[in-house]
Amino acid sequence: MSNFPDWFTQEYRRWNKTRPGEEDFLAFCSLLGYTPETVLSWMHGESTPQNGEVLSIAGMFSVKVYKVLGLPEPDKEILQAYVSFSNLAGELRSKAAHALWEADVEIKNNRISPQSDEAKAIIAKTFDKWGFAVSGN
């Protein structure tokens, strides 16, 4: 059994202690970009984060979440790209994490060079699917 619920709850408590004033669980959920029901299900071990959710958690806490869940860490480029979305509000940031994760999977599955025009088209299509308008090169 995964020790994710314990790790995640500990990270929540650590986050909560570092906030001025009275931050609460709803603010934490909002920051993550997931519903309180989803976050509680992770904390209680009823479900575990998947795919872009894991990237979103890693962006907030650390890539240690991958080790805790027994998953391989994503490429450094994906993490760096995700960090560039750190100024977005929680829900938008979580959507960006899902879009990045999906694009990365498709690029890897099709063995496409990440720098190719084909990869850029996949990224643009995936971000469009998640509600982001992509323009330029």
Side-chain angles (χ1 to χ4, degrees):
M1 172 139 169
S2 169
N3 63 349
F4 175 78
D6 293 336
W7 177 85
F8 188 62
T9 300
Q10 179 182 351
E11 292 299 316
Y12 163 68
R13 288 181 181 140
R14 188 174 296 140
W15 171 86
N16 200 32
K17 286 180 184 177
T18 65
R19 298 296 170 251
E22 290 191 30
E23 293 293 338
D24 63 5
F25 181 71
L26 295 177
F28 178 71
C29 295
S30 179
L31 181 66
L32 278 173
Y34 297 101
T35 66
E37 294 80 13
T38 298
V39 175
L40 278 174
S41 73
W42 295 339
M43 287 179 157
H44 293 291
E46 297 164 358
S47 69
T48 55
Q50 304 292 314
N51 310 325
E53 296 167 337
V54 181
L55 179 60
S56 188
I57 293 168
M60 186 166 168
F61 296 120
S62 75
V63 294
K64 184 177 180 184
V65 66
Y66 285 92
K67 183 177 181 181
V68 171
L69 290 169
L71 300 171
E73 284 186 22
D75 294 334
K76 299 258 187 260
E77 293 82 11
I78 294 297
L79 290 170
Q80 289 173 339
Y82 181 72
V83 167
S84 69
F85 294 105
S86 63
N87 62 329
L88 296 176
E91 184 179 354
L92 286 174
R93 197 172 52 254
S94 69
K95 286 182 179 184
H98 285 275
L100 278 170
W101 181 84
E102 284 184 19
D104 185 52
V105 167
E106 186 171 344
I107 289 166
K108 285 179 179 173
N109 285 346
N110 291 310
R111 299 177 187 191
I112 298 168
S113 167
Q115 291 78 26
S116 70
D117 288 340
E118 191 175 359
K120 290 177 187 176
I122 290 170
I123 292 168
K125 181 183 82 177
T126 305
F127 269 78
D128 184 57
K129 172 186 162 190
W130 282 94
F132 295 92
V134 179
S135 62
N137 297 353

